[in-house]
Amino acid sequence: MKTHVIVGASLAGATAAITLREEGAGAITMIGGEPEPPYERPPLSKAYLRGEVTFDSALVRPSAFYAEHDIKTMLGVRAARIDTAERFVELEDRRRVPYDTLLIATGGRNRRLSIPGADLSGIYGLRTVRDADRIREAIVAGRRAVVVGMGFIGSEVTASLRAKGLEVTAIDPGKTPLFRVFGQEVGRSFADLHRAHGVHTLFEDAVAAFEGDGHVACVVTRGGLRLECDFVVAGVGIEPAVDIADGSGIGLDNGVVVDEFLETTINGVFAAGDVANHYHPLFRRHIRLEHWQNAVRQGAAAARSMLGQRTAYEEIPWFWSDQYETNVQYVGFHTTWDELVVRGRLDSGSYLACYVKDGRIDAAVALNRGRDIRRIIPLIRSRAIVDIARLTDEHVDLRSLEAGNHRAAITQEGS
Amino acid sequence: MTAEFLPTGIAAAAVPPGGLVVADVRGTKVAIANVGGTYYAFDDTCTHQQCSLADGDLAETTVTCMCHGAEFDVRTGEVLAPPAPSPVRVYRVRVEAGALQIEIG
């Protein structure tokens, strides 16, 4: 009987364990550094942070599930290193866990600000439920918070803090929230969203120092502003948690490098989720994603690869974000673009914006248009040249575009 | 209270094959799907974040929530894809004099 070991009791790790069990695998052991059973992180910046849902509702499975399904869990214990020659994982307490196949699903850890005052109390990151609990304790209506970094975590925390009646100043070096991902035009609509909800926004500025007597009381910006506050939440990104693989011979580059089957450079060792830098066959490049869908789907796919069912993982990346009453969804993958093609209006609170390069839609972001996002997926997957006039025509059903493109392609070939 | 068929106020002809509508029946929001001429009714409210499933997309017997992509089997209410944590309730449907009725108990 083969032994499958999963390092990281994360969404990716738990999904892999569940999939392995469903597929009739032998022994399964899941090792997790956090003491809690595997849970989903999206609520931590939203409903859980606002105190609207219990932690139990965020669990991937009820805590008794794993024992009931013969999945051994070792929680609250960190794996220290991997010996790929002898095939075992060594834990911090020197115990060794032998494996036949191994999955690295260690996720990431928050980047820290290395500026004066960063070690004061009252400066929070957000990754774990414990982080969320610390912020929850600081949430009192009327308090003043500074949110550093307006990526997805910062944006969602900002929205949650406003919903709880706090005064929020949000600061980011970009021209807008989410500027690096979405660019200025789309980013501006997010800036407008936050300002419409009473957020003091401060863009193209950065934090120079935190000041306070033990506890943070003031944020000093590079631009020379002094922001009095009761606490700070920093959302300045994560780094993939790869230290377990240091010295193991497993290829590392922006995370754990895996092929289309989610296998690392070492036979029998796989990676999935935030930590995995995966070769995506459709986009023909390595992509590392830090999103829920990626954790779920890669976790399941890696489990199948561990059992020898080699199927290339080629899901189209997709994620959502909920801010205030606005549902944001993104699908595809883009880094640069020639043209931003918008269906609807960017200032209307409801639009689909497509990142088009070489005539093809690489990715799209939508505000309050989940249906459009679902319908654009086949177009992204097909890599077809898109008819921009029809894409922007609200009377055209997006589902008809793909068929139209196929006809156009056939006509071209025939002529 | 015994189950009984109640009017939805929606004509069967108003829901074409592949179509989805929402009805308010005694305060319960119920989605009705037409799968190849057969009608299926289920709770309209997604068990994940309370989005309307009738606002989603129907492909054969699968409805996809437009907010976060959860999928349900319209025949059974079963969750086919997360993040929905639990199934939606399903109801029996009948067409009476060209109008849709659902059984609510």
Side-chain angles (χ1 to χ4, degrees):
Chain A
M1 187 169 76
K2 281 199 172 174
T3 300
H4 307 280
V5 173
I6 298 164
V7 180
S10 53
L11 178 56
T15 306
I18 294 162
T19 307
L20 283 166
R21 181 49 70 232
E22 285 171 355
E23 299 283 334
I28 305 168
T29 299
M30 182 167 55
I31 303 163
E34 292 179 68
E36 297 85 8
Y39 57 93
E40 305 199 4
R41 300 190 196 276
L44 299 185
S45 52
K46 300 184 278 285
Y48 182 78
L49 195 68
R50 297 190 298 267
E52 295 164 5
V53 296
T54 62
F55 176 65
D56 280 357
S57 72
L59 292 176
V60 178
R61 288 288 186 279
S63 51
F65 172 92
Y66 302 96
E68 286 168 8
H69 291 80
D70 199 19
I71 296 167
K72 185 180 177 188
T73 54
M74 304 174 81
L75 303 176
V77 53
R78 291 197 179 275
R81 72 181 184 95
I82 301 165
D83 188 318
T84 54
E86 299 295 321
R87 294 203 169 208
F88 64 81
V89 175
E90 188 171 279
L91 308 180
E92 269 181 342
D93 59 14
R94 297 295 171 93
R95 275 182 295 168
R96 290 178 173 185
V97 182
Y99 67 81
D100 293 301
T101 71
L102 176 69
L103 177 66
I104 303 171
T106 46
R109 59 178 61 94
N110 286 337
R111 279 199 201 107
R112 290 176 158 270
L113 294 161
S114 49
I115 54 173
D119 55 351
L120 290 170
S121 68
I123 301 170
Y124 309 107
L126 178 53
R127 176 78 187 169
T128 66
V129 64
R130 296 187 167 214
D131 294 334
D133 287 341
R134 280 190 278 268
I135 299 171
R136 276 174 68 158
E137 282 173 26
I139 292 178
V140 176
R143 279 194 177 171
R144 300 154 305 169
V146 173
V147 174
V148 179
M150 285 296 274
F152 286 102
I153 297 296
S155 295
E156 291 180 352
V157 168
T158 294
S160 291
L161 295 178
R162 285 299 295 149
K164 298 298 284 183
L166 283 79
E167 293 293 314
V168 184
T169 301
I171 178 166
D172 192 281
K175 286 180 161 60
T176 71
L178 303 162
F179 177 73
R180 195 170 50 83
V181 196
F182 289 151
Q184 191 164 1
E185 290 174 86
V186 170
R188 195 182 294 127
S189 72
F190 285 90
D192 291 344
L193 179 67
H194 290 291
R195 282 195 282 258
H197 285 85
V199 177
H200 309 288
T201 58
L202 205 51
F203 297 109
E204 297 182 87
D205 200 352
V207 177
F210 299 108
E211 293 179 1
D213 184 11
H215 189 91
V216 67
C218 181
V219 174
V220 184
T221 77
R222 283 193 199 151
L225 292 170
R226 297 179 60 82
L227 311 167
E228 306 279 323
C229 65
D230 298 300
F231 67 94
V232 170
V233 181
V236 291
I238 65 163
E239 282 160 0
V242 294
D243 23 330
I244 184 184
D246 280 343
S248 66
I250 296 166
L252 304 177
D253 178 19
N254 181 29
V256 177
V257 178
V258 293
D259 62 14
E260 62 268 48
F261 305 106
L262 300 162
E263 189 161 28
T264 68
T265 53
I266 301 286
N267 195 261
V269 180
F270 300 80
D274 292 9
V275 78
N277 191 11
H278 160 251
Y279 180 78
H280 199 296
L282 191 68
F283 297 99
R284 297 180 188 182
R285 54 164 287 170
H286 282 84
I287 299 175
R288 190 177 66 78
L289 297 165
E290 301 165 358
H291 297 296
W292 178 91
Q293 173 231 29
N294 187 61
V296 173
R297 300 291 177 89
Q298 281 194 349
R304 295 196 183 95
S305 284
M306 290 165 85
L307 295 170
Q309 307 166 15
R310 288 170 74 82
T311 307
Y313 178 83
E314 47 186 26
E315 290 275 337
I316 305 280
W318 165 76
F319 62 81
W320 82 79
S321 171
D322 294 311
Q323 300 172 27
Y324 311 102
E325 300 305 312
T326 298
N327 174 253
V328 183
Q329 294 186 52
Y330 171 96
V331 67
F333 181 77
H334 80 284
T335 49
T336 59
W337 60 97
D338 304 328
E339 194 179 354
L340 184 77
V341 178
V342 181
R343 189 174 164 97
R345 285 165 49 107
L346 288 172
D347 61 2
S348 70
S350 168
Y351 63 79
L352 176 80
C354 300
Y355 295 88
V356 175
K357 192 170 187 184
D358 299 330
R360 295 175 179 85
I361 304 174
D362 283 342
V365 58
L367 254 64
N368 295 320
R369 282 201 188 209
R371 195 181 270 186
D372 281 1
I373 279 286
R374 303 266 141 215
R375 292 176 178 182
I376 210 78
I377 293 173
L379 267 169
I380 294 172
R381 188 180 287 285
S382 74
R383 312 308 300 135
I385 303 292
V386 67
D387 181 337
I388 285 172
R390 298 185 69 216
L391 177 60
T392 54
D393 183 346
E394 295 264 32
H395 298 103
V396 173
D397 187 325
L398 288 174
R399 288 173 296 188
S400 73
L401 261 74
E402 197 201 1
N405 276 311
H406 282 315
R407 276 200 299 276
I410 291 162
T411 310
Q412 268 182 0
E413 278 168 16
S415 62
Chain B
M1 192 167 69
T2 52
E4 56 178 320
F5 278 96
L6 296 173
T8 61
I10 293 167
V15 194
L20 280 166
V21 290
V22 62
D24 189 325
V25 183
R26 275 197 188 154
T28 303
K29 290 246 192 300
V30 178
I32 303 171
N34 180 340
V35 180
T38 305
Y39 296 92
Y40 297 95
F42 46 97
D43 274 334
D44 181 53
T45 307
C46 180
T47 55
H48 176 229
Q49 298 267 306
Q50 289 75 54
C51 290
S52 164
L53 293 174
D55 283 344
D57 262 343
L58 181 68
E60 297 182 0
T61 53
T62 301
V63 64
T64 303
C65 179
M66 68 157 197
C67 289
H68 308 104
E71 294 176 4
F72 299 90
D73 187 323
V74 299
R75 299 167 298 183
T76 60
E78 181 194 353
V79 177
L80 300 177
S86 51
V88 285
R89 195 175 159 190
V90 294
Y91 305 91
R92 290 207 295 164
V93 189
R94 75 178 183 193
V95 180
E96 194 67 27
L100 293 167
Q101 297 187 339
I102 64 158
E103 188 182 44
I104 284 194

